[in-house]
C-alpha cells in the first residue's frame, strides 16, 4: 500500500504562485511514476503533470510553461504553479503508479491522495 497526502492548496489571486506538496509513505519502493491531476466541478479529472522514474515528464498543454513538477525520489512530488489563472481552480490530486507481482504476473496500480483545493480568484 502507498499512502499519499497533499498539502499547499489555498486561495490565490490571478497571476500569483502556489506550490503543492505530496508526501508518500508505505511501499514507496514500488512507485514507478508520480504526478498530479486536477478536477473542477462538473468536469472530468484531467492530467496536470506526471514524472516517471525514467523517461520524460509529461505536462498538460494548458499548464506548460507555467507549472513545474519535481520529485524527491519516491517519497514526495511537488507542483510549482506560476502565473495562475481562474481556470486553474480545481481540486488537485497527487497520483502514484506502482508495479507489483501476483501469481507470477506483473500488474500496475494507481494510488491517489484525497486532494487539495486550489482557488484562483480576485
Amino acid at each position: 500500500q502507498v499512502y499519499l497526502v497533499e498539502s499547499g492548496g489555498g486561495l490565490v489571486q490571478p497571476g500569483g504562485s502556489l506550490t503543492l506538496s505530496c508526501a508518500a509513505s508505505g511501499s514507496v519502493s514500488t512507485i514507478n511514476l508520480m504526478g498530479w491531476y486536477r478536477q473542477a466541478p462538473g468536469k472530468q479529472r484531467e492530467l496536470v503533470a506526471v514524472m516517471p522514474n525514467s523517461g520524460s515528464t509529461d505536462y498538460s498543454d494548458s499548464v506548460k510553461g507555467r507549472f513545474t513538477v519535481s520529485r524527491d525520489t519516491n517519497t514526495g512530488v511537488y507542483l510549482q504553479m506560476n502565473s495562475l489563472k481562474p481556470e486553474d481552480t480545481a481540486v488537485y490530486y497527487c497520483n502514484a503508479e506502482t508495479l507489483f507481482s501476483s501469481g507470477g504476473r506483473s500488474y500496475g496500480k494507481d494510488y491517489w491522495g484525497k486532494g487539495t483545493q486550489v482557488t484562483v480568484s480576485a
Side-chain angles (χ1 to χ4, degrees):
Q1 295 289 319
V2 172
Y3 304 92
L4 305 172
V5 180
E6 303 99 335
S7 62
L11 174 64
V12 296
Q13 294 184 343
S17 297
L18 201 63
T19 300
L20 305 183
S21 299
C22 174
S25 61
S27 301
V28 297
S29 63
T30 65
I31 294 174
N32 187 58
L33 173 150
M34 298 187 76
W36 294 90
Y37 289 71
R38 67 187 182 186
Q39 186 170 23
K43 295 185 177 181
Q44 302 260 6
R45 186 176 299 183
E46 66 177 0
L47 170 76
V48 177
V50 293
M51 190 174 189
N53 290 12
S54 61
S56 61
T57 300
D58 190 17
Y59 291 92
S60 168
D61 288 341
S62 64
V63 307
K64 284 182 179 177
R66 300 189 298 120
F67 291 10
T68 302
V69 66
S70 60
R71 285 175 62 179
D72 183 12
T73 60
N74 283 3
T75 59
V77 62
Y78 312 92
L79 187 68
Q80 176 64 52
M81 304 184 292
N82 299 320
S83 302
L84 283 161
K85 305 174 181 179
E87 52 262 44
D88 294 318
T89 296
V91 176
Y92 284 70
Y93 295 92
C94 180
N95 166 254
E97 178 188 273
T98 65
L99 298 175
F100 67 96
S101 297
S102 180
R105 263 260 57 180
S106 295
Y107 300 86
K109 185 175 181 179
D110 283 314
Y111 292 87
W112 298 91
K114 293 182 179 180
T116 185
Q117 177 71 48
V118 173
T119 302
V120 184
S121 176

